[in-house]
Amino acid sequence: MSDPTTAAGSDVRNVVIIGSGPAGYSAAIYAARAMMEPIVVQGLQPGGQLTITTDVENYPGFADVVQGPWLMEQMQKQAEHVGTRMMWDTIVDVDVSNGSPFTATGDSGDEYVADVLVIATGAQAKWLGGPGEMELGGKGVSACATCDGFFYRGKKVAVIGGGNTAVEEALYLTNHSDDVTLIHRRDELRAEKILQERLLNHPKISVIWNKAVESFEAGPTGALGHLKLRDTQTGEDSTLEVDGAFVAIGHAPATELFKGKLPMDEGGYLLTEAGSPKTEVPGVFAAGDVTDHVYRQAVTAAGMGCMAALDAERFIAGLEIDAGGHVHEAEAAE
């Protein structure tokens, strides 16, 4: 193992975790309990997307609704309690070209050197950027139907977008609402044909074509009351009264730092071995939304963080698990 001493301007550790959402904190908890003395470099948004989420009702272990920022605070405290060191820094460069040990350079100028890197930088929902969108976040405006759809049972909701994400969100919301409207700025959807057929034939879903959302407007209670729409062909303005609006125009993984250094798919998500957090570079693991464009849930991210830490422990010990689940000595990297 690496010497966990701290040199001037640099940190040498067995494990450096880049990112601090559910995946990063879970990786830290498992790594610390395995006596690997991990460091978490928290980045610009410690806690990840859950710090801008209000009610969380689908994370296991809590009978009552909990607040996203509180949940992340508890995960951080747990990671620190078992021996994780938190760094208030943002990684601006990584060097994985020569194999382990790896070097990550912070905005502070400090270098973090470790046998293992766990990348848990997450992803961010893409937003429209219109007036009221951020102000009404958690008050009727959301970017995750799976996370927040339950709170709109029996209410009128709208989904904004025209790709697979938007159609899937609209279909999901029919589990909670009998009045779902899809708003698309064009006259045809970009989603896969089978999804389009399901949506267009669904009795609970209506589609508004050629409309762009200009702003999100609060009602008398201070929560979302209606959307201001503009016709993309005629320029005519209109309004749509809704209780909830779900922006579904995609997500952007935070992987700019790793372009040209680690394999990615066309969407910029890091590629890993099937069923594993292992990237193409031995000793570099990816966990959470940075590699997951399908599930994007806190609980799945946490599970992947756990997997990354367990694989990190085996990597440092010179072991690995093959496709059959058997542990054996790892081959030395060339």
Side-chain angles (χ1 to χ4, degrees):
M1 291 188 179
S2 299
D3 177 8
T5 57
T6 303
S10 68
D11 256 311
V12 182
R13 282 293 188 274
N14 300 309
V15 180
V16 166
I17 299 163
I18 306 174
S20 54
Y25 287 148
S26 297
I29 291 165
Y30 274 81
R33 294 187 72 253
M35 308 304 290
M36 290 191 288
E37 300 179 304
I39 275 182
V40 171
V41 185
Q42 299 198 83
L44 292 173
Q45 188 181 31
Q49 292 187 75
L50 278 185
T51 59
I52 57 171
T53 302
T54 51
D55 294 343
V56 176
E57 199 169 39
N58 56 5
Y59 196 86
F62 301 97
D64 296 320
V65 175
V66 297
Q67 298 298 298
W70 177 87
L71 182 59
M72 290 299 92
E73 180 184 323
Q74 295 303 303
M75 284 192 187
Q76 177 179 332
K77 288 180 177 178
Q78 184 179 2
E80 290 176 312
H81 176 74
V82 292
T84 302
R85 184 176 174 193
M86 299 291 167
M87 302 299 294
W88 293 90
D89 203 352
T90 300
I91 299 301
V92 295
D93 190 29
V94 294
D95 183 0
V96 299
S97 59
N98 297 315
S100 178
F102 310 102
T103 301
T105 304
D107 186 56
S108 64
D110 288 350
E111 288 188 340
Y112 306 90
V113 184
D115 293 321
V116 166
L117 284 182
V118 175
I119 301 169
T121 47
Q124 295 290 337
K126 296 178 182 178
W127 297 95
L128 296 172
E133 187 175 39
M134 292 295 102
E135 294 84 351
L136 292 171
K139 300 177 182 177
V141 178
S142 172
C144 181
T146 309
C147 310
D148 300 327
F150 182 78
F151 300 111
Y152 296 91
R153 287 168 294 172
K155 297 183 178 181
K156 180 177 174 62
V157 296
V159 176
I160 303 154
N164 283 352
T165 298
V167 173
E168 288 169 352
E169 298 262 281
L171 289 166
Y172 173 81
L173 286 167
T174 60
N175 294 316
H176 305 295
S177 170
D178 293 334
D179 192 347
V180 179
T181 301
L182 182 77
I183 304 169
H184 187 38
R185 60 185 301 115
R186 298 183 178 86
D187 60 3
E188 62 179 353
L189 300 172
R190 293 175 286 107
E192 296 172 6
K193 292 299 182 183
I194 189 170
L195 289 174
Q196 290 190 40
E197 290 177 7
R198 288 185 60 201
L199 178 127
L200 296 173
N201 291 322
H202 203 292
K204 296 181 181 180
I205 301 175
S206 58
V207 181
I208 297 180
W209 304 104
N210 300 313
K211 291 289 192 299
V213 175
E214 291 287 281
S215 64
F216 301 78
E217 304 291 331
T221 65
L224 179 67
H226 66 272
L227 305 175
K228 281 191 176 181
L229 308 178
R230 177 181 53 83
D231 192 294
T232 56
Q233 294 185 332
T234 67
E236 181 183 356
D237 293 327
S238 59
T239 62
L240 178 69
E241 292 186 3
V242 291
D243 300 298
F246 294 84
V247 180
I249 56 176
H251 286 72
T255 54
E256 187 70 28
L257 183 63
F258 309 104
K259 284 186 176 177
K261 300 175 181 179
L262 293 169
M264 304 177 185
D265 67 13
E266 63 277 4
Y269 290 86
L270 293 177
L271 294 175
T272 58
E273 184 180 301
S276 162
K278 297 177 183 177
T279 70
E280 185 179 75
V281 177
V284 177
F285 304 94
D289 287 7
V290 75
T291 186
D292 174 21
H293 56 80
V294 177
Y295 301 104
R296 296 196 299 263
Q297 299 298 302
V299 67
T300 53
M304 294 170 73
C306 163
M307 293 163 64
L310 294 176
D311 278 347
E313 183 181 7
R314 296 183 184 104
F315 176 83
I316 290 173
L319 303 173
E320 68 177 23
I321 294 182
D322 62 23
H326 305 294
V327 178
H328 58 85
E329 292 284 341
E331 294 181 5
E334 295 181 359

